[in-house]
Amino acid sequence: MEELHSETQKAEPEPLSSPKIIGLTGGIGSGKTTVAKFIEEFGFPVYYSDDRAKDIVNENEALKAKIKELLGEESYDANGIYNRKFVAEKVFTNQNLLEQLNQIIHPAVRLDFEDWIKKQTKYLIFKETALLFELKLNKECYKSILVTAEDNIRMKRVMDRDGKTYREVQAIMEKQMPEKDKIKLADCIIYNNTNLEDLKEITEKIVFDIE
């Protein structure tokens, strides 16, 4: 499939004083991160919420104290680094604990995102986050984009990528909001069931069709 050429794209409007925030999400194995990288190739900034959260839990001392109070000293190792494996095991089967952890981390990520916005000059900026709909962050966005794929395709991608078993991936997927519910909430949907060439083309079309 041929790539869209620049002359087929819409001319970029003049930068606005307040850029439009586009939420980008997708379940495990959907290809959300690949789509985010394509968007950056098209010249638009992407804020990676999930990556920034991983940094913030190590950078913010007040946050560290709250997490230790909630989950115990083992939440951080001897070097003061976030013990992701320990935390994941603690909250995986305890929804209440997970919600409390999110209530600690997500406000800090929100403040970080607000600081990031102030540095941006493009008319569109993208916020990549796995929990866009779960945390109702889509209500704070101009538009939302969902990257999705058939369950069996997502399953195989994660198994190949992470070396996880079928049961392990299935358990993760069952913890996430069902795709059918996300599809109902999304403004734009990218179906990633074929190849990278098709994925890049549909991503380009959706991004440049946003007004």
Side-chain angles (χ1 to χ4, degrees), residues 26-103:
I28 189 170
S30 65
K32 167 173 57 75
T33 302
T34 302
V35 167
K37 297 302 182 186
F38 287 151
I39 289 170
E40 288 185 308
E41 283 185 33
F42 303 148
F44 297 99
V46 178
Y47 179 86
Y48 292 89
S49 300
D50 305 327
D51 287 346
R52 279 301 296 146
K54 292 175 184 177
D55 293 334
I56 289 169
V57 293
N58 285 311
E59 298 168 353
N60 189 315
E61 293 301 324
L63 208 64
K64 282 186 179 184
K66 290 179 182 178
I67 292 172
K68 287 180 182 179
E69 183 179 348
L70 176 67
L71 302 175
E73 291 293 324
E74 288 180 80
S75 303
Y76 287 82
D77 65 20
N79 297 314
I81 302 300
Y82 191 61
N83 189 340
R84 195 163 305 283
K85 185 175 185 295
F86 171 81
V87 173
E89 289 174 352
K90 287 276 286 188
V91 304
F92 191 73
T93 57
N94 190 324
Q95 185 63 29
N96 182 54
L97 212 53
L98 176 60
E99 289 175 1
Q100 290 183 68
L101 180 63
N102 284 338
Q103 287 168 9

Coordinates of all heavy atoms in Angstrom, one line a residue, residues 26-103:
G26 N -4.7 2.2 24.1 CA -4.8 0.8 23.5 C -4.4 -0.2 24.5 O -3.5 0.1 25.4
G27 N -5.0 -1.4 24.5 CA -4.6 -2.4 25.4 C -3.3 -3.1 25.1 O -2.7 -2.7 24.1
I28 N -2.9 -4.0 25.9 CA -1.6 -4.7 25.7 C -1.6 -5.4 24.4 O -2.6 -6.0 24.0 CB -1.4 -5.7 26.9 CG1 0.0 -6.2 26.8 CG2 -2.4 -6.8 26.9 CD1 0.4 -7.0 28.1
G29 N -0.5 -5.2 23.6 CA -0.3 -5.8 22.3 C -1.1 -5.2 21.2 O -1.1 -5.7 20.1
S30 N -1.7 -4.0 21.5 CA -2.4 -3.3 20.4 C -1.6 -2.6 19.4 O -2.0 -2.4 18.2 CB -3.4 -2.3 21.0 OG -2.7 -1.3 21.6
G31 N -0.4 -2.2 19.8 CA 0.5 -1.4 18.9 C 0.4 0.1 19.2 O 0.8 0.9 18.4
K32 N -0.1 0.4 20.4 CA -0.2 1.8 20.8 C 1.1 2.6 20.7 O 1.1 3.7 20.2 CB -0.8 1.9 22.2 CG -0.7 3.2 22.9 CD -1.5 3.2 24.2 CE -1.0 2.2 25.2 NZ 0.3 2.6 25.8
T33 N 2.2 2.0 21.2 CA 3.5 2.7 21.2 C 4.0 2.9 19.8 O 4.6 3.9 19.5 CB 4.5 1.9 22.0 OG1 4.0 1.7 23.4 CG2 5.8 2.6 22.1
T34 N 3.8 1.9 18.9 CA 4.2 2.0 17.5 C 3.4 3.2 16.9 O 4.0 4.0 16.1 CB 3.9 0.7 16.7 OG1 4.6 -0.3 17.4 CG2 4.4 0.8 15.3
V35 N 2.2 3.3 17.1 CA 1.4 4.4 16.6 C 1.9 5.8 17.1 O 2.0 6.7 16.4 CB -0.1 4.3 16.9 CG1 -0.9 5.6 16.7 CG2 -0.7 3.1 16.1
A36 N 2.3 5.8 18.4 CA 2.8 7.0 19.0 C 4.1 7.4 18.3 O 4.3 8.6 18.0 CB 3.1 6.8 20.5
K37 N 4.9 6.5 18.0 CA 6.2 6.8 17.3 C 5.9 7.3 15.9 O 6.6 8.2 15.4 CB 7.1 5.5 17.2 CG 7.5 5.0 18.5 CD 8.3 6.0 19.3 CE 8.8 5.4 20.7 NZ 9.4 6.4 21.5
F38 N 4.9 6.8 15.2 CA 4.5 7.3 13.9 C 4.1 8.7 14.0 O 4.4 9.6 13.2 CB 3.4 6.5 13.3 CG 3.8 5.1 12.8 CD1 2.9 4.0 12.7 CD2 5.1 4.9 12.3 CE1 3.3 2.8 12.3 CE2 5.5 3.6 11.8 CZ 4.5 2.6 11.8
I39 N 3.3 9.0 15.0 CA 2.8 10.4 15.2 C 4.0 11.4 15.4 O 4.0 12.5 14.9 CB 1.8 10.4 16.4 CG1 0.5 9.7 16.1 CG2 1.6 11.9 16.9 CD1 -0.4 9.5 17.3
E40 N 5.0 10.9 16.1 CA 6.2 11.8 16.3 C 6.9 12.0 15.0 O 7.4 13.0 14.7 CB 7.1 11.1 17.3 CG 6.6 11.2 18.7 CD 7.6 10.7 19.8 OE1 8.1 9.6 19.6 OE2 7.9 11.4 20.7
E41 N 6.9 10.9 14.1 CA 7.5 11.1 12.8 C 6.8 12.1 12.0 O 7.4 12.8 11.1 CB 7.4 9.7 12.1 CG 8.5 8.7 12.5 CD 8.4 7.4 11.6 OE1 8.1 7.6 10.4 OE2 8.7 6.4 12.2
F42 N 5.5 12.2 12.2 CA 4.7 13.2 11.5 C 4.8 14.6 12.0 O 4.3 15.6 11.5 CB 3.2 12.8 11.5 CG 2.8 11.5 11.0 CD1 1.8 10.7 11.5 CD2 3.6 10.9 10.0 CE1 1.5 9.5 11.0 CE2 3.3 9.6 9.5 CZ 2.3 8.9 10.0
G43 N 5.6 14.8 13.1 CA 6.0 16.1 13.6 C 5.2 16.6 14.8 O 5.3 17.7 15.2
F44 N 4.5 15.7 15.4 CA 3.7 16.1 16.6 C 4.3 15.5 17.8 O 4.7 14.4 17.9 CB 2.2 15.6 16.4 CG 1.5 16.2 15.2 CD1 1.4 15.5 14.1 CD2 1.0 17.5 15.3 CE1 0.7 16.0 13.0 CE2 0.3 18.0 14.2 CZ 0.2 17.3 13.1
P45 N 4.2 16.3 18.9 CA 4.8 15.8 20.2 C 3.9 14.8 20.9 O 2.6 14.9 20.8 CB 4.9 17.1 21.0 CG 3.9 18.0 20.5 CD 3.7 17.7 19.0
V46 N 4.5 13.8 21.6 CA 3.7 12.8 22.3 C 4.2 12.8 23.7 O 5.4 12.7 24.0 CB 3.8 11.4 21.6 CG1 3.1 10.4 22.5 CG2 3.3 11.4 20.2
Y47 N 3.3 12.9 24.6 CA 3.6 12.7 26.1 C 3.3 11.3 26.4 O 2.2 10.8 26.4 CB 2.8 13.7 26.9 CG 3.0 13.6 28.4 CD1 4.0 14.3 29.0 CD2 2.2 12.7 29.2 CE1 4.3 14.2 30.4 CE2 2.5 12.6 30.6 CZ 3.5 13.3 31.1 OH 3.7 13.2 32.5
Y48 N 4.4 10.5 26.8 CA 4.2 9.1 27.2 C 3.9 9.0 28.7 O 4.8 8.9 29.5 CB 5.5 8.4 26.8 CG 5.7 8.3 25.3 CD1 6.4 9.3 24.6 CD2 5.2 7.2 24.6 CE1 6.6 9.2 23.3 CE2 5.4 7.1 23.2 CZ 6.1 8.1 22.6 OH 6.3 8.1 21.2
S49 N 2.6 9.0 29.0 CA 2.2 9.0 30.4 C 2.8 7.8 31.2 O 3.3 7.9 32.3 CB 0.7 8.9 30.5 OG 0.1 10.1 29.9
D50 N 2.7 6.6 30.6 CA 3.2 5.4 31.3 C 4.7 5.4 31.5 O 5.1 5.0 32.6 CB 2.7 4.2 30.5 CG 1.2 4.2 30.2 OD1 0.5 4.7 31.0 OD2 0.8 3.7 29.1
D51 N 5.4 5.9 30.6 CA 6.9 6.0 30.8 C 7.2 7.1 31.8 O 8.1 6.9 32.6 CB 7.6 6.4 29.4 CG 7.6 5.2 28.5 OD1 7.3 4.1 28.9 OD2 7.9 5.4 27.3
R52 N 6.5 8.2 31.8 CA 6.8 9.3 32.7 C 6.5 8.8 34.1 O 7.2 9.2 35.1 CB 6.0 10.5 32.4 CG 6.6 11.4 31.3 CD 8.0 11.8 31.6 NE 8.0 12.7 32.8 CZ 9.0 12.7 33.7 NH1 10.1 11.9 33.6 NH2 9.0 13.6 34.7
A53 N 5.4 8.0 34.3 CA 5.0 7.5 35.6 C 6.2 6.7 36.2 O 6.5 6.7 37.4 CB 3.7 6.7 35.5
K54 N 6.8 5.9 35.3 CA 7.9 5.0 35.8 C 9.1 5.9 36.3 O 9.8 5.5 37.2 CB 8.4 4.2 34.6 CG 7.4 3.1 34.2 CD 7.9 2.3 33.0 CE 6.8 1.3 32.5 NZ 7.2 0.6 31.3
D55 N 9.3 7.1 35.7 CA 10.3 8.0 36.1 C 10.0 8.7 37.4 O 10.8 8.8 38.3 CB 10.7 9.0 35.0 CG 11.3 8.4 33.8 OD1 11.9 7.3 33.9 OD2 11.1 8.9 32.7
I56 N 8.7 9.2 37.4 CA 8.2 10.0 38.5 C 8.3 9.3 39.8 O 8.6 9.8 40.9 CB 6.8 10.6 38.2 CG1 6.9 11.6 37.1 CG2 6.2 11.2 39.5 CD1 5.6 12.0 36.6
V57 N 8.0 7.9 39.8 CA 8.0 7.2 41.1 C 9.4 7.1 41.7 O 9.5 6.7 42.8 CB 7.3 5.8 40.9 CG1 5.9 5.9 40.7 CG2 8.0 5.0 39.9
N58 N 10.4 7.3 40.8 CA 11.8 7.3 41.3 C 12.3 8.7 41.6 O 13.3 8.8 42.4 CB 12.7 6.6 40.3 CG 12.5 5.1 40.3 OD1 12.5 4.5 41.3 ND2 12.3 4.6 39.1
E59 N 11.7 9.7 41.0 CA 12.2 11.1 41.2 C 11.6 11.9 42.3 O 12.2 12.7 42.9 CB 12.0 11.8 39.9 CG 12.7 11.3 38.6 CD 12.2 11.9 37.3 OE1 11.2 12.7 37.4 OE2 12.8 11.6 36.3
N60 N 10.3 11.6 42.6 CA 9.5 12.4 43.5 C 9.6 11.7 45.0 O 9.0 10.7 45.2 CB 8.1 12.4 43.0 CG 7.2 13.4 43.8 OD1 7.3 13.4 45.0 ND2 6.4 14.2 43.1
E61 N 10.3 12.4 45.9 CA 10.5 11.8 47.2 C 9.2 11.8 48.0 O 9.0 10.8 48.8 CB 11.5 12.7 48.0 CG 12.9 12.6 47.4 CD 13.5 11.2 47.4 OE1 13.2 10.4 48.3 OE2 14.2 10.8 46.4
A62 N 8.3 12.7 47.8 CA 7.0 12.7 48.5 C 6.2 11.5 48.1 O 5.5 10.9 48.9 CB 6.3 14.0 48.3
L63 N 6.3 11.3 46.8 CA 5.6 10.1 46.2 C 6.1 8.8 46.7 O 5.3 7.9 47.1 CB 5.7 10.2 44.7 CG 4.6 9.6 43.8 CD1 3.3 10.3 44.0 CD2 5.0 9.6 42.3
K64 N 7.4 8.7 46.8 CA 8.0 7.5 47.4 C 7.5 7.2 48.8 O 7.2 6.1 49.1 CB 9.6 7.7 47.4 CG 10.3 7.6 46.1 CD 11.8 7.6 46.4 CE 12.6 7.4 45.1 NZ 14.1 7.4 45.3
A65 N 7.5 8.3 49.6 CA 7.0 8.1 51.0 C 5.6 7.6 51.0 O 5.2 6.7 51.8 CB 7.1 9.4 51.7
K66 N 4.7 8.1 50.2 CA 3.3 7.7 50.1 C 3.2 6.2 49.7 O 2.3 5.5 50.2 CB 2.5 8.6 49.2 CG 2.3 10.0 49.8 CD 1.5 10.8 48.8 CE 1.3 12.3 49.3 NZ 0.6 13.1 48.3
I67 N 4.0 5.8 48.7 CA 3.9 4.5 48.1 C 4.4 3.5 49.2 O 3.8 2.4 49.4 CB 4.7 4.4 46.8 CG1 4.0 5.2 45.7 CG2 4.8 2.9 46.4 CD1 4.8 5.3 44.4
K68 N 5.5 3.8 49.9 CA 6.0 3.0 51.0 C 5.0 2.8 52.1 O 4.8 1.7 52.7 CB 7.3 3.5 51.5 CG 8.5 3.4 50.6 CD 9.7 4.0 51.2 CE 10.9 3.9 50.3 NZ 12.1 4.5 50.9
E69 N 4.3 3.9 52.4 CA 3.3 3.9 53.4 C 2.1 2.9 53.0 O 1.6 2.2 53.9 CB 2.7 5.3 53.7 CG 1.7 5.4 54.8 CD 1.2 6.8 55.1 OE1 1.8 7.7 54.6 OE2 0.3 6.9 55.8
L70 N 1.8 3.0 51.7 CA 0.7 2.1 51.3 C 1.0 0.7 51.1 O 0.3 -0.2 51.5 CB 0.2 2.7 49.9 CG -0.9 1.9 49.2 CD1 -2.2 2.0 50.0 CD2 -1.1 2.4 47.8
L71 N 2.2 0.4 50.5 CA 2.6 -1.0 50.1 C 3.7 -1.6 50.9 O 4.0 -2.8 50.8 CB 2.9 -1.0 48.7 CG 1.8 -0.5 47.7 CD1 2.4 -0.5 46.3 CD2 0.6 -1.4 47.8
G72 N 4.4 -0.7 51.7 CA 5.5 -1.3 52.5 C 6.9 -0.8 52.0 O 7.0 -0.4 50.8
E73 N 7.9 -1.0 52.8 CA 9.3 -0.5 52.4 C 9.8 -1.3 51.2 O 10.6 -0.8 50.5 CB 10.2 -0.7 53.6 CG 10.0 0.2 54.8 CD 10.3 1.7 54.5 OE1 11.2 1.9 53.7 OE2 9.5 2.5 54.9
E74 N 9.3 -2.5 51.0 CA 9.8 -3.3 49.9 C 9.4 -2.7 48.5 O 9.8 -3.2 47.5 CB 9.3 -4.8 50.0 CG 9.9 -5.6 51.1 CD 9.3 -7.0 51.1 OE1 9.7 -7.8 50.3 OE2 8.4 -7.2 51.9
S75 N 8.6 -1.7 48.6 CA 8.2 -1.0 47.3 C 9.4 -0.4 46.6 O 9.3 -0.2 45.4 CB 7.2 0.1 47.6 OG 6.0 -0.4 48.3
Y76 N 10.5 -0.2 47.3 CA 11.7 0.3 46.8 C 12.9 -0.6 47.3 O 12.8 -1.1 48.4 CB 11.9 1.8 47.2 CG 11.0 2.7 46.5 CD1 9.7 2.9 47.0 CD2 11.4 3.4 45.4 CE1 8.8 3.8 46.3 CE2 10.5 4.3 44.7 CZ 9.2 4.4 45.2 OH 8.4 5.3 44.5
D77 N 13.8 -0.8 46.4 CA 15.0 -1.6 46.7 C 16.0 -0.8 47.6 O 15.8 0.3 47.9 CB 15.6 -2.2 45.5 CG 16.3 -1.2 44.6 OD1 16.6 -0.1 45.0 OD2 16.5 -1.5 43.4
A78 N 17.1 -1.5 47.9 CA 18.1 -0.9 48.8 C 18.7 0.4 48.2 O 19.2 1.2 48.9 CB 19.2 -1.9 49.0
N79 N 18.6 0.5 46.9 CA 19.1 1.7 46.2 C 18.1 2.8 46.0 O 18.3 3.8 45.3 CB 19.7 1.3 44.8 CG 20.9 0.4 45.0 OD1 21.8 0.6 45.8 ND2 20.9 -0.7 44.2
G80 N 16.9 2.6 46.5 CA 15.8 3.5 46.4 C 15.1 3.5 45.1 O 14.4 4.5 44.7
I81 N 15.2 2.4 44.3 CA 14.6 2.3 43.0 C 13.3 1.5 43.2 O 13.2 0.5 43.9 CB 15.5 1.5 42.0 CG1 16.9 2.3 41.9 CG2 14.8 1.4 40.7 CD1 16.7 3.7 41.4
Y82 N 12.3 2.0 42.5 CA 10.9 1.4 42.6 C 11.0 -0.1 42.2 O 11.5 -0.5 41.2 CB 10.0 2.2 41.6 CG 8.6 1.9 41.6 CD1 7.8 2.2 42.8 CD2 7.9 1.4 40.5 CE1 6.5 1.9 42.8 CE2 6.5 1.1 40.5 CZ 5.8 1.4 41.7 OH 4.5 1.2 41.7
N83 N 10.4 -0.9 43.1 CA 10.4 -2.3 42.9 C 9.2 -2.7 42.2 O 8.2 -3.1 42.8 CB 10.5 -3.0 44.3 CG 10.7 -4.5 44.2 OD1 10.5 -5.1 43.1 ND2 11.2 -5.1 45.2
R84 N 9.2 -2.6 40.8 CA 8.1 -2.8 40.0 C 7.5 -4.2 40.2 O 6.2 -4.4 40.2 CB 8.5 -2.6 38.5 CG 7.3 -2.4 37.6 CD 7.8 -1.7 36.3 NE 8.5 -0.5 36.6 CZ 7.9 0.6 36.9 NH1 6.5 0.7 36.9 NH2 8.6 1.7 37.1
K85 N 8.3 -5.2 40.2 CA 7.8 -6.6 40.4 C 7.0 -6.8 41.7 O 5.9 -7.4 41.7 CB 9.0 -7.6 40.3 CG 8.6 -9.1 40.3 CD 9.8 -9.9 40.1 CE 9.4 -11.4 39.9 NZ 8.8 -11.9 41.2
F86 N 7.6 -6.3 42.8 CA 6.9 -6.4 44.1 C 5.6 -5.7 44.1 O 4.6 -6.3 44.5 CB 7.8 -5.8 45.1 CG 7.2 -5.7 46.5 CD1 7.0 -6.8 47.3 CD2 6.6 -4.5 46.9 CE1 6.4 -6.7 48.6 CE2 6.0 -4.4 48.1 CZ 5.9 -5.5 49.0
V87 N 5.6 -4.5 43.5 CA 4.3 -3.7 43.5 C 3.3 -4.4 42.6 O 2.1 -4.4 43.0 CB 4.6 -2.2 43.0 CG1 3.3 -1.5 42.8 CG2 5.5 -1.5 44.0
A88 N 3.7 -4.8 41.5 CA 2.8 -5.5 40.6 C 2.1 -6.7 41.2 O 0.9 -6.9 41.1 CB 3.5 -5.9 39.3
E89 N 2.9 -7.5 41.9 CA 2.3 -8.6 42.6 C 1.4 -8.3 43.7 O 0.4 -8.9 44.0 CB 3.5 -9.5 43.2 CG 4.3 -10.2 42.1 CD 5.5 -10.9 42.6 OE1 5.8 -10.7 43.8 OE2 6.2 -11.6 41.8
K90 N 1.7 -7.1 44.4 CA 0.8 -6.7 45.5 C -0.6 -6.2 45.0 O -1.6 -6.5 45.6 CB 1.5 -5.5 46.2 CG 2.7 -5.9 47.1 CD 2.3 -6.4 48.5 CE 1.8 -5.3 49.4 NZ 1.6 -5.8 50.8
V91 N -0.6 -5.5 43.9 CA -1.8 -4.9 43.4 C -2.6 -5.7 42.4 O -3.8 -5.4 42.1 CB -1.6 -3.5 42.9 CG1 -0.9 -2.6 43.9 CG2 -0.8 -3.5 41.6
F92 N -1.9 -6.7 41.8 CA -2.5 -7.4 40.7 C -3.9 -8.1 41.0 O -4.8 -8.0 40.2 CB -1.6 -8.5 40.1 CG -2.1 -9.1 38.8 CD1 -2.0 -8.4 37.6 CD2 -2.6 -10.4 38.8 CE1 -2.4 -8.9 36.4 CE2 -3.0 -10.9 37.6 CZ -2.9 -10.2 36.4
T93 N -4.0 -8.6 42.2 CA -5.2 -9.3 42.6 C -6.0 -8.5 43.7 O -7.0 -9.0 44.3 CB -4.9 -10.7 43.2 OG1 -4.0 -10.5 44.3 CG2 -4.3 -11.6 42.1
N94 N -5.6 -7.2 43.9 CA -6.2 -6.4 44.9 C -6.6 -5.0 44.3 O -5.9 -4.1 44.2 CB -5.3 -6.1 46.1 CG -6.0 -5.5 47.3 OD1 -6.9 -4.6 47.1 ND2 -5.6 -5.8 48.5
Q95 N -7.9 -5.0 43.8 CA -8.3 -3.8 43.0 C -8.3 -2.6 43.9 O -8.0 -1.5 43.4 CB -9.8 -4.1 42.5 CG -10.3 -3.0 41.6 CD -9.6 -2.8 40.4 OE1 -9.0 -3.7 39.8 NE2 -9.6 -1.6 39.8
N96 N -8.7 -2.7 45.2 CA -8.7 -1.6 46.1 C -7.3 -1.0 46.3 O -7.1 0.3 46.2 CB -9.3 -2.0 47.4 CG -9.3 -0.8 48.4 OD1 -9.9 0.2 48.1 ND2 -8.8 -1.0 49.6
L97 N -6.3 -1.8 46.4 CA -4.9 -1.4 46.6 C -4.5 -0.7 45.3 O -3.8 0.3 45.3 CB -4.1 -2.6 46.9 CG -2.8 -2.4 47.8 CD1 -3.2 -1.7 49.1 CD2 -2.2 -3.7 48.1
L98 N -4.8 -1.3 44.1 CA -4.5 -0.7 42.8 C -5.0 0.7 42.7 O -4.4 1.6 42.2 CB -4.9 -1.6 41.7 CG -4.7 -1.1 40.3 CD1 -3.2 -0.8 40.0 CD2 -5.3 -2.0 39.3
E99 N -6.3 0.9 43.1 CA -6.9 2.2 43.0 C -6.3 3.2 43.9 O -6.1 4.4 43.5 CB -8.4 2.1 43.3 CG -9.2 1.3 42.2 CD -10.7 1.1 42.6 OE1 -11.1 1.5 43.8 OE2 -11.4 0.5 41.8
Q100 N -5.9 2.8 45.1 CA -5.2 3.7 46.0 C -3.8 4.1 45.4 O -3.4 5.2 45.6 CB -5.0 3.0 47.4 CG -6.3 2.8 48.1 CD -6.0 2.2 49.5 OE1 -5.4 2.9 50.4 NE2 -6.5 1.0 49.7
L101 N -3.1 3.1 44.8 CA -1.8 3.4 44.2 C -2.0 4.4 43.0 O -1.2 5.4 42.9 CB -1.2 2.1 43.7 CG 0.2 2.3 43.0 CD1 1.2 2.8 44.0 CD2 0.6 0.9 42.4
N102 N -3.0 4.2 42.2 CA -3.3 5.1 41.1 C -3.6 6.5 41.6 O -3.2 7.5 41.0 CB -4.5 4.6 40.3 CG -4.1 3.5 39.4 OD1 -2.9 3.3 39.1 ND2 -5.1 2.7 39.0
Q103 N -4.3 6.6 42.8 CA -4.6 7.9 43.4 C -3.4 8.7 43.9 O -3.4 9.9 44.0 CB -5.6 7.7 44.5 CG -7.0 7.4 44.0 CD -8.0 6.9 45.1 OE1 -7.6 7.0 46.3 NE2 -9.1 6.4 44.8

